[in-house]
Amino acid sequence: MASDPTHQLFTRLIHGGLAPDPSTGAILTPIYQSTTYVQEAVGKDKGFTYSRTRNPTVAALERNLGELDRALPAACFATGMAALTVLFLATLKGGDHAVVSDVVYGGTVRLLRQVFADLGVAATFVDPGDPAALAAAWRPETRLFLVESPANPTLKLTDLAAAAAAAHAAGALLAVDNTLLPSIQEPLELGADIVLYSTTKYIEGHNSTVGGALLTRDPALADRIRFLQNAVGCIQAPFEAWLTLRGLKTLPLRMERHAQNALAVARFLESHPRVERVAYPFLDSFPQVELARRQQKNGGGMIAFEVFGGSEAGIRVMNSVSLCSLAENLGAVETLITHPATMTHAPIPAAERAAIGIGDGLVRLSVGLEDPNDLIADLERALQS
Ligand code: PLP
């Protein structure tokens, strides 16, 4: 079926950019597990020559994933970190500068500080909600503003329309890591130039693959990203692409249920006497709840909370759950509980972590698709421990 941007999201993600396999009628795009493609004559191929450059299964995923944000076909990568690497290579060169929101995935910080800094790319980490700090961060050589909203793991939000205006006024592009809210928040509609996803999370959604993607509506930027995908050699693999395509078909459905479950669990945690603080964007107590309602369709599936008794008490809860799994990753059908200070955000020095709200007692919960009553019972037991 040809892509039609007027179709609604559920329809676009089931059919957009996809067609039955022409040779067999198979309704799903097959897994083209082939390195190379036989050419009819020199210079006469069928659009595929070598799978580092282009692969039919990956190409189907790229067309379909583009539909998520009404963008051009996405570029899909072996991991979210590969997507971040290509984002930086596509937008920055030695001598350039990036402004980055202060709370981002630890791997993003590590990549900028321990890899790109050595190549002469500077980065300033700043609270995008602090107008004075943001104004002071821009430099004449700033080319990229990268934000994560909600931020992993504090869930602090960035006003994306304001961020786009600020980036463009400074002559920079706005890239949004939308990993936590695919189908819930549309950064390109709010003025962003590039959207990044770790497809490892909600998009594939079943804890089966790692992957990443970049989406844009700008043809020149899309071409540059496509060039780098081949030049660097970090394209997604066919089987992973096929599983990710399958995930996309149910993404909006899963996201709605993730959010329903997370709201129920967040309300339970907020009412619990042992819980000191809960962050969930659609709770009335969330400091940025109005912004959340303005730019998100729902609150998403992530919760951050702290229990009375500091890090020792928080760690006790994480060690006492049984239905929730203590594990890295987020955004899958299974509920995962994580200790950001020692797991996902360990690459950030402790003092800096504390300054941006990632205390040693912070617990991150990626609420899955189990019955919310079972999750609440598990957490209730762990909180009593
Ligand atoms: N962006 C966010 C918000 C993440 O949480 C992660 C991983 O946890 C990444 C990017 C990196 O993605 P990957 O682990 O697929 O390389």
Side-chain angles (χ1 to χ4, degrees):
M1 187 184 110
S3 303
D4 180 344
T6 62
H7 281 127
Q8 300 297 317
L9 182 63
F10 279 86
T11 308
R12 294 203 310 272
L13 292 183
I14 293 170
H15 296 288
L18 303 173
D21 180 50
S23 58
T24 62
I27 196 162
L28 298 183
T29 304
I31 304 167
Y32 285 90
Q33 194 69 49
S34 183
T35 311
T36 194
Y37 306 82
V38 177
Q39 305 181 19
E40 276 172 42
V42 174
K44 205 168 168 204
D45 59 58
K46 294 184 164 69
F48 299 94
T49 53
Y50 187 62
S51 277
R52 167 164 46 74
T53 314
R54 203 156 175 255
N55 169 281
T57 316
V58 180
L61 168 63
E62 293 179 332
R63 290 192 302 272
N64 191 238
L65 183 53
E67 300 281 335
L68 174 60
D69 287 286
R70 292 177 277 192
L72 293 165
C76 288
F77 301 95
T79 64
M81 291 317 300
L84 274 155
T85 302
V86 169
L87 168 69
F88 297 144
L89 290 172
T91 56
L92 299 162
K93 59 185 182 338
D96 286 348
H97 171 250
V99 175
V100 183
S101 54
D102 54 354
V103 190
V104 284
Y105 172 58
T108 308
V109 178
R110 180 174 54 202
L111 182 62
L112 283 165
R113 287 202 178 141
Q114 297 181 42
V115 180
F116 277 89
D118 291 344
L119 303 176
V121 172
T124 302
F125 294 85
V126 67
D127 177 355
D130 178 340
L134 186 58
W138 303 113
R139 296 187 199 165
E141 62 275 19
T142 306
R143 296 285 170 267
L144 177 69
F145 186 18
L146 170 65
V147 302
E148 235 179 76
S149 185
N152 174 10
T154 61
L155 304 181
K156 192 166 81 174
L157 305 186
T158 296
D159 182 331
L160 296 183
H168 296 156
L173 298 174
L174 177 69
V176 177
D177 185 335
N178 203 35
T179 294
L180 267 54
L181 291 180
S183 80
I184 302 304
Q185 172 173 270
E186 282 196 87
L188 297 180
E189 288 296 300
L190 296 166
D193 303 284
I194 309 171
V195 174
L196 180 139
Y197 291 108
S198 165
T199 60
T200 310
K201 319 295 193 235
Y202 291 104
I203 290 180
E204 190 273 318
H206 295 75
N207 268 327
S208 317
T209 64
V210 287
L214 291 174
L215 283 74
T216 180
R217 292 174 180 170
D218 176 339
L221 198 52
D223 282 352
R224 178 74 185 150
I225 290 168
R226 185 77 58 206
F227 167 81
L228 287 162
Q229 182 191 42
N230 178 51
V232 175
C234 50
I235 196 171
Q236 182 55 289
F239 183 44
E240 276 71 5
W242 188 86
L243 287 169
T244 309
L245 256 177
R246 189 153 85 161
L248 270 169
K249 291 181 195 298
T250 56
L251 174 71
L253 205 59
R254 286 185 285 107
M255 290 309 292
E256 283 174 14
R257 178 64 187 261
H258 277 296
Q260 280 167 18
N261 281 5
L263 184 59
V265 171
R267 286 190 173 138
F268 156 75
L269 288 170
E270 194 173 41
S271 68
H272 199 284
R274 293 216 170 156
V275 175
E276 188 173 359
R277 194 177 71 82
V278 182
Y280 181 71
F282 266 44
L283 277 182
D284 290 337
S285 59
F286 189 72
Q288 297 169 295
V289 64
E290 274 175 33
L291 175 59
R293 295 218 164 98
R294 203 161 69 231
Q295 66 184 20
Q296 304 180 193
K297 286 184 208 150
N298 62 40
M302 302 297 298
I303 299 173
F305 68 97
E306 283 178 88
V307 292
F308 285 108
S311 58
E312 207 181 299
I315 289 169
R316 199 163 49 242
V317 170
M318 285 178 268
N319 287 338
S320 306
V321 287
S322 59
L323 186 60
C324 307
S325 303
L326 178 66
E328 299 216 12
N329 203 19
L330 60 90
V333 295
E334 296 90 357
T335 295
L336 301 182
I337 199 163
T338 304
H339 185 219
T342 58
M343 296 163 83
T344 50
H345 290 69
I348 303 174
E352 254 181 71
R353 273 201 313 265
I356 55 176
I358 310 176
D360 286 350
L362 190 74
V363 181
R364 188 185 81 180
L365 197 63
S366 170
V367 181
L369 302 184
E370 300 91 340
D371 189 308
N373 294 320
D374 291 331
L375 295 173
I376 288 170
D378 189 35
L379 288 163
E380 172 77 71
R381 264 193 309 272
L383 284 163
Q384 298 307 338
S385 64

